[in-house]
Structure formats: C-alpha cells, structure tokens
Amino acid sequence: MATLATGAVSAATADAAKPSVVIVHGAFADGSDWAKVIPLLQAKGVHVVAVQNPLTSLDDDVAAAKRAIATQPGKVVLVGHSWGGVVITEAGDDAKVKALVYVAALVPDMGQAAGELVKDYPTASGWAHVVADQAGFLSLTQEGVAQHFAQDLSASATAVMTATQGPIQAKAFEQKLTVAAWKTKPSWYIVSEKDHMIQPDLERALAKKINAKTTSLAASHVPQQSQPAKVAAVILEAVRAASE
C-alpha cells in the first residue's frame, strides 16, 4: 500500500508540471456539450475536467467550479462558455488559475450581474424560445436549440442537446459578482459571429474590454460543437502560455 501511495504522489507531482483544463458549461447545457473538444485536449496530454453546474445560482455554480479547481494538482486553465463565462470570472480568482478562456461568453465586471451586460443591445433572437417553469427555471424549446442555439448542427444532434439541456434558475442572471478574475489573469475570447443567444457585437465589446486575445469563428452559440478543433486550438494556446 505504501508503494501505491508513493506512486500516486509521484504521478500527481508530474502532472502538476502541465496545466489542467477545467471547463464550465453554460445555461441550457451540461458537461457533455464539450464532448468533441475534450478528446482533442486529452490527445495532447492535457488533463481535463468538465464541471457539472447545478445552474441553481451563481454561488452554487462558482462553488462547483472551485471544487474542480481544488482537485487539480497544479496550474489551471479555466474555460467558460456562455453563462460559464460569468462563473469563471468569479471562480478564477484562485492562485491555481493562470489563464481564462471565454467561449461566446458573458463577462461581467465586479459588482455587475450577467443580465446587465445585454441591456444596451438588441435582444438576441434565441431568447424568444426560452420558457420558464413554475420554479423559475429557464429552458430552450426544441426549435430554440435547433434554430438559434446550435443552428449549424444536425437535427439529430440538436434533439439530443434539447433532451440533455440543463435548465437555469432565472434569478442567477441577476446575481452580482464579487470579483472579476480577468482583471489580473490573461484571457482568451472566442467570438461566435453567428450567435443567436448573445449578440456578436456584445461578445466583441467584452473581449476588447478585458483585453483578451480574440478569435472570431463563423459559428453558432456552440462553436465547441460545430468547430471543436478551432476551439481546442485556442485552449491549447492558453495552456502553452500558462506553462511558461
């Protein structure tokens, strides 16, 4: 048993040399939203963890991300998609986190709520297909997923995404951040030019505000599904930078 324990410690020490990637999914999704990107990162020897957000509140999602960060052996590159960008902005204030990657994401400032970011822009068309249940959790209709969330994917793929989506508590969008990790951490941002959930103009403005290294893709709200290799390439660039 002592030999096994020693081996485990040695492996953890070796792994600590290369940053791990912790991925935080967005609203109307779960960790499987990243199933095409994760193997591409793993093929490059990167350890990856996809957080399963409860989507019950900002605090709950941040806590889930922090638990995942805490289990990593060393440096972390934190990736957030859509609502996940809000989560990593708060959870990224951790000494282990060396880089932030935002994918078609909302990026509030300290003291700001996610919902405040969209008020100066036209409402994105996908939000006409969001429905609320009696408990205040929001979901996308099948038409919303197929035509506005992931319009560059097949019908069979969007049917699965509709079935596996994670409803988000509406009040989460009103909860304010207490910290903004992008103020002190290097950032990357992927703009989805055909996004129907967040206005591309807003994405570009957010990327500029946080001084992120920006990549623009002709993609829907989920470039991690429609253009996974290009998304993986951006994350790997952040991993390389965090390794230095």
Side-chain angles (χ1 to χ4, degrees), residues 101-142:
V101 180
Y102 293 94
V103 181
L106 295 168
V107 191
D109 202 341
M110 183 172 59
Q112 190 176 41
E116 296 176 45
L117 296 173
V118 302
K119 60 183 176 57
D120 295 328
Y121 292 82
T123 302
S125 59
W127 286 88
H129 302 272
V130 173
V131 295
D133 66 13
Q134 292 182 341
F137 283 84
L138 307 178
S139 299
L140 270 172
T141 65
Q142 186 160 343

Side-chain angles (χ1 to χ4, degrees), residues 28-206:
F28 318 123
D30 67 1
S32 68
D33 197 35
W34 285 83
K36 294 179 181 177
V37 171
I38 290 170
L40 301 178
L41 301 177
Q42 291 173 331
K44 296 297 184 179
V46 178
H47 177 67
V48 186
V49 172
V51 178
Q52 297 291 352
N53 288 329
L55 299 175
T56 45
S57 71
L58 174 59
D59 286 348
D60 289 347
D61 287 359
V62 168
K66 286 184 174 180
R67 288 195 299 272
I69 293 166
T71 62
Q72 304 315 305
K75 298 176 181 178
V76 170
V77 172
L78 198 54
V79 181
H81 171 243
S82 190
W83 162 255
V86 183
V87 179
I88 71 169
T89 299
E90 180 93 9
D93 186 38
D94 183 294
K96 282 187 174 182
V97 176
K98 303 302 179 183
L100 305 167
V101 180
Y102 293 94
V103 181
L106 295 168
V107 191
D109 202 341
M110 183 172 59
Q112 190 176 41
E116 296 176 45
L117 296 173
V118 302
K119 60 183 176 57
D120 295 328
Y121 292 82
T123 302
S125 59
W127 286 88
H129 302 272
V130 173
V131 295
D133 66 13
Q134 292 182 341
F137 283 84
L138 307 178
S139 299
L140 270 172
T141 65
Q142 186 160 343
E143 180 183 356
V145 175
Q147 301 300 322
H148 298 277
F149 192 77
Q151 70 271 19
D152 48 3
L153 297 179
S154 68
S156 60
T158 57
V160 172
M161 292 171 70
T162 303
T164 59
Q165 70 175 295
I168 185 168
Q169 172 55 242
K171 292 180 181 178
F173 293 108
E174 303 169 8
Q175 294 165 343
K176 299 180 184 295
L177 274 70
T178 62
V179 68
W182 52 262
K183 291 179 180 290
T184 57
K185 309 290 173 81
S187 301
W188 283 252
Y189 196 110
I190 295 175
V191 174
S192 285
E193 296 291 350
K194 298 182 179 180
D195 202 323
H196 294 182
M197 299 303 300
I198 301 174
Q199 291 288 359
D201 283 347
L202 173 56
E203 294 181 16
R204 284 188 286 269
L206 291 170

